[in-house]
Amino acid sequence: MIPTKHGPALRAALAAGVLASSVLVLPVAHADGTAVPRATVPVAGTAPEPAADPEPSPAGDAPDQDVDLLYFNDYHGRLASDPVLFAGAVEQLRAEDPDGTLLLSGGDNVGASEYVSAVQDDNPTLDVLDALALDASAVGNHEFDQGVADLTGRIEERAGFPYLAANVFGADGELVTEASATFEVDGVSIGVVGAVTQQTATLVSPGMIEGITFGDPVEAVNAEAQRLAADGADVVVALYHEGAASAAGALGDRLATDTSATVDVVLNAHTHQVYDEAVDTDGDGDLDRAVLQAGSYGGHLGRVSFSYDEAADDVDLTAEVLAVDETVTATEEELIARYPRVAEVASIVEQAEAFAVERGKTPVGEITGDITTAYGMRDGVASRDDRSAESSLGNLVAESIRDTLDESDGVQIGVINPGGLRADLLYADDPTQVIDGDRDGVVTESEANQVLPFANNLNTITLTGEQFEQVLEQQWQPAGASRPYLQLGLSENVGYTFDASRPAGDRITSITIDGQPYDPAGSYVVGSVSFLVAGGDNFTAFTEGTGFTDTGRIDRDAWMEYLSAHAPLAPGFDRRSVSIAGAAADGCTVSFAVSALDMTSLGAPDNTVLSVRAGSPQGTELGTAAVVDGAASVSVDTTRSAEGDAVWLVAAPSGTQVRVPEPVLALADGCAAPPTSTPTEPTGQPAGPQEPGKGAGEHPRQGEPGRGVWQHGSARAHEVLRRLFG
């Protein structure tokens, strides 16, 4: 019998012959350990299935059956971040309805994990989720980090729960994992279908997913949901490892608008957002569809509570997202004593910590202050990992790549993607952390590993200047991407200007490399992690380069060597990218707006003044402009510098240096002072590179990390200014 509310759509689909025919069969163990296949999996504590379906009761005679769905997503092996508290919240909520609760995950249970889990390939995390009796999980993109064979082999074999993905196909055209699972919960048949973001192909190193196809997740969910309903599922739940870019857009996202009405609950993941929406789709005044995402890292739990009226085939529900630390009403000791599953979790974590402490306690470097990702507001709280903003940590990691590979592989530019930075380096020792330095400023192996946990190889690629410009343009992500903008970290010898108001593909207005304008036709050797060089995160311009080299070096190993060789490291807050827009000329004066001067990394200062300098960042000051909220209005009298000389902007106190684009200065065509022919007196010493703010002869990059660029000063500009203005 086809359920009433799904009847027309299902009959049409059946007539068209478009429904899938595969049925999930999961093993259930006999007492002797042998497996017995069955198509549905009852939750622990529920009554066994009846031998035959009972006759339906007349409408209004059957009582509503209440079920709770508990949900989390993007856990990422957070075994050093209150795993006992997380487990306690699950068990405390489960205890409110022990026979009617289903525990689900949206994927990315593993990958990009904390050191306690990562040092053992996330096996302890899988054990923790088994101990919590996780019922099912969507496949996340990070489940592919070590390759599809790792997912279908080690991960699935260790997991005591099914991984679901209805839209992932192998080279043979068959599904890589099961599409769905069906559960009997307190008399209600619940079909759960999973799908992973179609962008997984750009989020995982291509070599790890060779031959794998990621189909449209909504189309796959809709087809599988119809099959589940036709097979008798009372309620259908979609586990999407994909989500809205912001909470405000949750109901307008296609995951909500295009998912079939057959699906009663839409659970999202991947974008780490928090939202809980419920809507009335049938107009009866009761909420009957939920759209929800529960943040990340085990900090929140989603709960969808619904009643199911079998006679009317009607679902009424409520949805909420609960902060774990506000939900738990007992201490960790009390939780361990009260709930056997929490006690098992605590034991697993204790063993994992002991292993990780022994492996990870070795100091590898020192820092003088916090070196962090960018911080942005999330749910009214300043939170790390704002991937749309430039960061102190991102630029330092990029510089470490250049420093590591410049002599051995000729790398001129270091680049890192923001999603590769999974933890901050914090100066203060936290006594609550099991693995940490024994004093402030110490960086241990585990802390360094948590910054770069993916174990990517360092690769090099040769790009033309034009191709490198395209890489920077691709920071503005393609339509439909989960995040509309991703800010790359760049080595300290690179800077660029942009105007975000310009059309896509034409937003980068200048690039400076080693103090000089880049050559679009020139060649530049770029170093980065294998994920990015292979075109990950939609940076496909990398794949157009030549001379690819796999250095064979692991990113985290090179990172730890850099931290050790440059200890103590100080945070740098000078930006590589600055916005210059609205340029216009009035006679010989060029005016323009400068913005994006301030970083949002922890400890970053607010800039207060912008100095305009002739010839070089150390050149004669032509004037200053006040900086407010990272923005300034600048006017440059072009007659005060010789024709062809550069004009630089230097922000204080951050030290950000940016070369004004030549087309901006050219707006005052013919106004620059003529070049001087006055010869400079020989010094008897060859000219050497000079770091900004450093005395002559000091070697570049021996000062604070991440500081500016170095270049030859302009003797001609200095002489002209001396003659004109004394």
Side-chain angles (χ1 to χ4, degrees), residues 15 33 64 141 146 190 215 236 266 276 287 304 317 343 360 377 381 383 394 428 475 510 547 566 571 587 665 702:
D64 289 351
N141 56 284
Q146 297 187 52
I190 303 176
V236 177
V266 177
D276 52 344
L287 302 174
V304 178
L317 55 75
M377 299 304 294
V381 178
S383 303
Q475 294 176 115
S510 72
H566 294 79
L665 299 176
Q702 293 300 310

Side-chain angles (χ1 to χ4, degrees), residues 509-597:
T509 53
S510 72
I511 303 174
T512 303
I513 301 174
D514 292 326
Q516 299 299 321
Y518 83 120
D519 178 2
S523 294
Y524 300 91
V525 182
V526 179
S528 190
V529 293
S530 53
F531 164 78
L532 196 57
V533 173
D537 273 345
N538 297 303
F539 287 97
T540 56
F542 278 110
T543 65
E544 300 172 8
T546 59
F548 167 82
T549 299
D550 185 344
T551 70
R553 304 199 63 180
I554 302 297
D555 56 358
R556 68 184 177 198
D557 295 339
W559 169 235
M560 286 189 284
E561 291 172 13
Y562 179 84
L563 291 172
S564 177
H566 294 79
L569 277 168
F573 302 114
D574 54 312
R575 290 181 59 98
R576 310 291 186 257
S577 60
V578 173
S579 172
I580 292 182
D586 183 5
C588 292
T589 298
V590 176
S591 300
F592 47 87
V594 181
S595 59
L597 287 169

Side-chain angles (χ1 to χ4, degrees), residues 196-539:
V196 65
T197 174
Q198 199 166 10
Q199 294 182 55
T200 301
T202 72
L203 300 174
V204 179
S205 294
M208 296 295 184
I209 51 173
E210 187 173 356
I212 302 301
T213 300
F214 297 89
D216 184 288
V218 175
E219 292 180 3
V221 163
N222 287 347
E224 186 66 11
Q226 289 179 331
R227 189 194 67 77
L228 288 167
D231 283 353
D234 301 317
V235 174
V236 177
V237 178
L239 296 177
Y240 281 115
H241 190 78
E242 180 63 286
S246 67
L251 289 180
D253 190 90
R254 70 182 295 258
L255 300 177
T257 60
D258 293 356
T259 296
S260 166
T262 307
V263 177
D264 303 284
V265 180
V266 177
L267 300 177
N268 292 171
H270 185 54
T271 55
H272 295 203
Q273 297 295 313
V274 175
Y275 47 82
D276 52 344
E277 303 287 352
V279 295
D280 176 10
T281 63
D282 58 13
D284 66 355
D286 294 318
L287 302 174
D288 51 28
R289 191 183 215 190
V291 179
L292 181 149
Q293 186 174 183
S296 60
Y297 306 145
H300 293 81
L301 280 170
R303 178 164 64 177
V304 178
S305 301
F306 63 83
S307 61
Y308 175 68
D309 184 337
E310 182 179 4
D313 189 27
D314 183 58
V315 172
D316 294 329
L317 55 75
T318 60
E320 58 185 338
V321 175
L322 306 169
V324 163
D325 59 358
E326 297 175 3
T327 299
V328 173
T329 57
T331 66
E332 289 194 359
E333 292 75 13
E334 291 169 337
L335 292 169
I336 291 170
R338 186 178 302 167
Y339 302 112
R341 290 188 180 116
V342 177
E344 187 177 354
V345 167
S347 176
I348 294 167
V349 172
E350 182 180 9
Q351 294 177 53
E353 286 175 345
F355 183 94
V357 166
E358 188 61 32
R359 179 74 68 85
K361 64 186 179 183
T362 306
V364 296
E366 294 186 34
I367 55 177
T368 64
D370 296 338
I371 304 177
T372 75
T373 57
Y375 275 62
M377 299 304 294
R378 187 177 299 152
D379 298 325
V381 178
S383 303
R384 69 168 301 277
D385 195 28
D386 179 1
R387 301 183 192 181
S388 67
E390 191 170 340
S391 74
S392 173
L393 182 62
N395 287 342
L396 181 61
V397 170
E399 175 59 21
S400 77
I401 294 173
R402 182 179 77 121
D403 182 87
T404 297
L405 301 178
D406 60 353
E407 292 186 7
S408 60
D409 296 86
V411 165
Q412 299 161 278
I413 300 170
V415 186
I416 190 68
N417 58 302
L421 310 172
R422 306 307 281 210
D424 295 334
L425 292 181
L426 300 178
Y427 175 78
D429 177 62
D430 184 351
T432 67
Q433 293 287 328
V434 175
I435 305 175
D436 205 351
D438 57 2
R439 60 183 174 84
D440 290 351
V442 171
V443 179
T444 62
E445 178 178 321
S446 66
E447 292 168 326
N449 177 83
Q450 287 177 186
V451 172
L452 296 174
F454 296 113
N456 278 289
N457 278 21
L458 291 180
N459 293 168
T460 72
I461 194 77
T462 299
L463 301 178
T464 66
E466 185 177 8
Q467 288 168 338
F468 180 62
E469 179 182 359
Q470 187 60 27
V471 167
L472 298 180
E473 291 282 359
Q474 288 177 342
Q475 294 176 115
W476 287 270
Q477 294 278 286
S482 300
R483 293 176 174 88
Y485 182 87
L486 292 175
Q487 179 74 51
L488 294 172
L490 297 172
S491 53
E492 65 182 21
N493 63 323
V494 180
Y496 67 92
T497 60
F498 66 92
D499 181 351
S501 68
R502 294 164 69 103
D506 191 34
R507 291 168 173 143
I508 303 301
T509 53
S510 72
I511 303 174
T512 303
I513 301 174
D514 292 326
Q516 299 299 321
Y518 83 120
D519 178 2
S523 294
Y524 300 91
V525 182
V526 179
S528 190
V529 293
S530 53
F531 164 78
L532 196 57
V533 173
D537 273 345
N538 297 303
F539 287 97

Side-chain angles (χ1 to χ4, degrees), residues 79-105:
L79 297 193
S81 300
D82 297 321
V84 172
L85 200 68
F86 169 69
V90 170
E91 289 303 280
Q92 182 177 306
L93 293 172
R94 183 185 260 151
E96 296 177 9
D97 187 10
D99 293 333
T101 298
L102 197 66
L103 179 62
L104 302 172
S105 167

